[in-house]
């Protein structure tokens, strides 16, 4: 299968085959790790499509084609991290451009907007993306980009991608809607099919899936934007190495089955927490109590593996709880096979302190992994019991 005809296949099949024809040189079924920095030329400029590995590497090409196929995009580019992917996209923005972003985004994304790109004359403002009228009202004459996460990190708000993309394009057809699809993955949610223009990923998370690699990607069907991003990928060089590309490709092969189980375990953990007397509030789009539950059911295949919650006793009790789980490891990141727990305000979202995006100090975020749900629930039960 080539990336040219992926639309004939379903996502489970694309995850295993897209961009990954057996190696033409040897017949190797798995895409080889082309661990080389340069490629021999038969004459000046005469080569087999590869010159220098910052510009292109066959293992990276396979990953880029696979990711593009999964998101239904014409083009894909892989980067050294999710932040490198986001940074490359931000380099396309011009001084005077206005970026309308959700008011709950990954702390590192906010930090890059606020501490770096604002000083280049790019305007950022933040809006409640669960409120379509608020989004419409916040679009400005110079709005060029709408930046969305859904579900958001860490409050798990769900934005209506179809409605927001429509509103943004009605406002000005030149506006580009960017969706960070890291939490949902293309298995659970397809932003481009819903009208978005660009998808970004931290492939470090569910796509890699095993907490053993850092990576990122940008996917789009816009040929001009892709050409500009490909120029920047080569010119600035924030590229992933071939081993990292291989690890993400290998992780993606099991994406569909992993995401099914992440969703099942996520729901089981959320239901357990919702019934627990020590828990004050649970935020999980798969629970009927979630304000955008109906939208999440429409827009996502399942509600995924991320659950946020508050315990009774405030930030002090939250700190005590995250230190007492045994299976849920206290660590940043998410989306791996193993379960993780963290306090966003003090860890992943420290940079939002004092900003309109500041995260409540007592909010606990868990990435529910693929262990047996009974063991995960027992672990949370013992930690809650000892509060
Ligand atoms: N986007 C989201 C939603 C994230 O959660 C993260 C990291 O946690 C990133 C982007 C950044 O990705 P990376 O850590 O691979 O640079």
């Amino acid at each position: 299968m080539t990336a040219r005809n992926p639309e004939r296949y379903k996502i489970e099949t694309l995850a295993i085959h897209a961009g990954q024809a057996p190696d033409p040189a040897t017949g190797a079924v798995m895409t080889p790790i082309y661990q080389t920095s340069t490629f021999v030329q038969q004459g000046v400029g005469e080569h087999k499509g590869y010159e220098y590995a910052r510009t292109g590497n066959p293992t990276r090409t396979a990953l880029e084609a696979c990711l593009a196929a999964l998101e239904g995009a014409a083009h894909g580019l892989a980067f050294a991290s999710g932040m490198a992917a986001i940074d490359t996209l931000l380099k396309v923005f011009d001084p005077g451009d206005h970026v309308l972003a959700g008011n709950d985004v990954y702390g590192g994304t906010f930090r890059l907007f606020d501490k770096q790109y604002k000083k280049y004359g790019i305007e950022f403002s933040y809006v409640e993306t669960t409120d379509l009228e608020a989004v419409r009202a916040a679009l400005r004459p110079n709005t060029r980009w709408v930046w969305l996460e859904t579900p958001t990190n860490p409050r798990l708000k769900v934005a209506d991608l179809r409605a927001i993309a429509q509103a943004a394009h009605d406002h000005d057809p030149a506006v580009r809607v960017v969706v960070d699809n890291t939490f949902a993955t293309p298995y659970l949610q397809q932003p481009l099919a819903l009208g978005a223009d660009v998808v970004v990923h931290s492939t470090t998370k569910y796509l890699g899936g095993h907490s053993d690699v850092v990576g990122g990607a940008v996917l789009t069907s816009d040929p001009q934007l892709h050409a500009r991003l490909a120029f920047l990928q080569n010119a600035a060089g924030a590229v992933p190495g071939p081993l990292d590309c291989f690890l993400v490709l290998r992780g993606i092969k099991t994406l569909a089955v992993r995401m099914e189980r992440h969703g099942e375990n996520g729901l089981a953990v959320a239901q357990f927490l919702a019934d627990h007397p020590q828990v004050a509030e649970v935020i999980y789009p798969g629970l009927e109590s979630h304000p955008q539950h109906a939208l999440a059911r429409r827009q996502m295949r399942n509600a995924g593996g991320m659950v946020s919650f508050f315990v009774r006793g405030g930030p002090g009790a939250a700190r005590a709880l995250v230190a007492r789980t045994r299976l849920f490891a206290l660590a940043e990141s998410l989306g791996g096979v193993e379960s993780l727990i963290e306090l966003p305000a003090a860890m992943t979202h420290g940079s939002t302190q004092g900003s309109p995006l500041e995260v409540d100090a007592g909010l606990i975020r868990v990435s529910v992994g693929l262990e047996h749900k009974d063991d995960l629930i027992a672990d949370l039960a013992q930690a809650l019991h000892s509060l």
Side-chain angles (χ1 to χ4, degrees):
M1 181 197 296
T2 66
R4 285 224 180 110
N5 59 0
E7 60 282 354
R8 286 174 32 220
Y9 296 99
K10 298 200 186 308
I11 194 163
E12 292 83 348
T13 312
L14 293 173
I16 294 168
H17 295 289
Q20 299 163 80
D23 181 46
T26 62
V29 167
M30 286 300 294
T31 303
I33 302 163
Y34 284 91
Q35 193 71 49
T36 182
S37 61
T38 192
F39 300 82
V40 74
Q41 307 199 6
Q42 285 71 53
V44 178
E46 274 176 57
H47 51 74
K48 297 181 175 164
Y50 295 95
E51 298 158 79
Y52 183 60
R54 168 159 43 73
T55 319
N57 173 291
T59 320
R60 195 173 95 208
T61 304
L63 174 61
E64 293 175 336
C66 182
L67 286 168
L70 295 186
E71 289 287 5
H75 310 284
L77 293 168
F79 292 91
S81 68
M83 289 320 303
I86 291 170
D87 181 66
T88 306
L89 194 51
L90 289 169
K91 287 193 173 99
V92 173
F93 297 9
D94 288 315
D97 280 1
H98 170 240
V99 183
L100 180 61
N103 65 4
D104 188 41
V105 293
Y106 170 55
T109 303
F110 170 72
R111 182 173 55 195
L112 198 59
F113 288 173
D114 197 59
K115 301 282 184 295
Q116 191 61 24
Y117 281 89
K118 209 165 75 177
K119 75 177 183 192
Y120 297 147
I122 298 166
E123 285 172 34
F124 294 92
S125 68
Y126 302 92
V127 68
E128 178 55 61
T129 55
T130 59
D131 179 346
L132 186 59
E133 286 319 308
V135 173
R136 277 208 184 97
L139 290 162
R140 300 179 187 171
N142 61 335
T143 303
R144 288 284 165 273
W145 302 87
V146 173
W147 193 283
L148 301 171
E149 286 183 14
T150 179
T152 62
N153 183 3
R155 292 186 189 87
L156 304 175
K157 298 177 188 180
V158 178
D160 188 334
L161 290 178
R162 192 187 291 281
I164 294 178
Q166 183 75 53
H169 294 141
D170 285 351
H171 172 77
D172 179 348
V175 171
R176 283 170 174 147
V177 177
V178 182
V179 178
D180 183 333
N181 206 23
T182 298
F183 270 33
T185 82
Y187 181 74
L188 297 185
Q189 164 178 290
Q190 300 258 307
L192 299 183
L194 295 170
D197 304 289
V198 186
V199 168
V200 297
H201 274 287
S202 167
T203 58
T204 314
K205 310 296 169 9
Y206 288 106
L207 290 166
H210 296 77
S211 305
D212 52 9
V213 64
V214 171
V218 182
L219 302 315
T220 183
S221 293
D222 176 335
Q224 272 129 25
L225 179 61
H226 169 71
R228 179 81 186 127
L229 290 164
F231 165 82
L232 288 167
Q233 183 197 44
N234 179 50
V239 292
L243 174 60
D244 289 353
C245 292
F246 172 87
L247 287 170
V248 178
L249 268 176
R250 186 173 68 165
I252 287 173
K253 287 182 192 287
T254 55
L255 180 71
V257 284
R258 284 188 289 106
M259 292 315 293
E260 286 294 340
R261 185 59 68 84
H262 279 298
E264 265 173 49
N265 283 1
L267 181 61
V269 163
Q271 282 168 337
F272 161 76
L273 290 170
D275 289 341
H276 199 285
Q278 282 293 111
V279 174
E281 186 190 344
V282 183
I283 309 169
Y284 181 68
L287 291 181
E288 278 176 25
S289 59
H290 189 283
Q292 296 93 42
H293 175 64
L295 170 61
R297 287 191 66 137
R298 264 201 328 273
Q299 190 165 272
M300 301 174 70
R301 212 190 273 246
N302 69 47
M306 300 303 296
V307 182
S308 293
F309 63 103
F310 292 94
V311 287
R312 296 194 194 285
R319 260 181 197 263
L321 180 93
V322 299
R324 286 179 195 171
T325 51
R326 295 175 191 142
L327 269 178
F328 282 85
L330 177 58
E332 300 197 4
S333 201
L334 59 113
V337 293
E338 63 290 298
S339 294
L340 303 179
I341 191 163
E342 68 129 1
L343 285 188
M347 296 170 70
T348 50
H349 290 67
S351 62
T352 63
Q353 215 175 7
S355 82
L357 280 72
E358 183 164 334
V359 177
D360 193 305
L363 184 74
I364 301 166
R365 189 191 80 180
V366 290
S367 172
V368 182
L370 305 185
E371 300 92 339
H372 197 288
K373 61 184 177 208
D374 294 351
D375 294 330
L376 294 176
I377 287 170
D379 187 32
L380 290 170
Q382 67 76 26
L384 284 163
H385 183 71
S386 62
L387 279 187

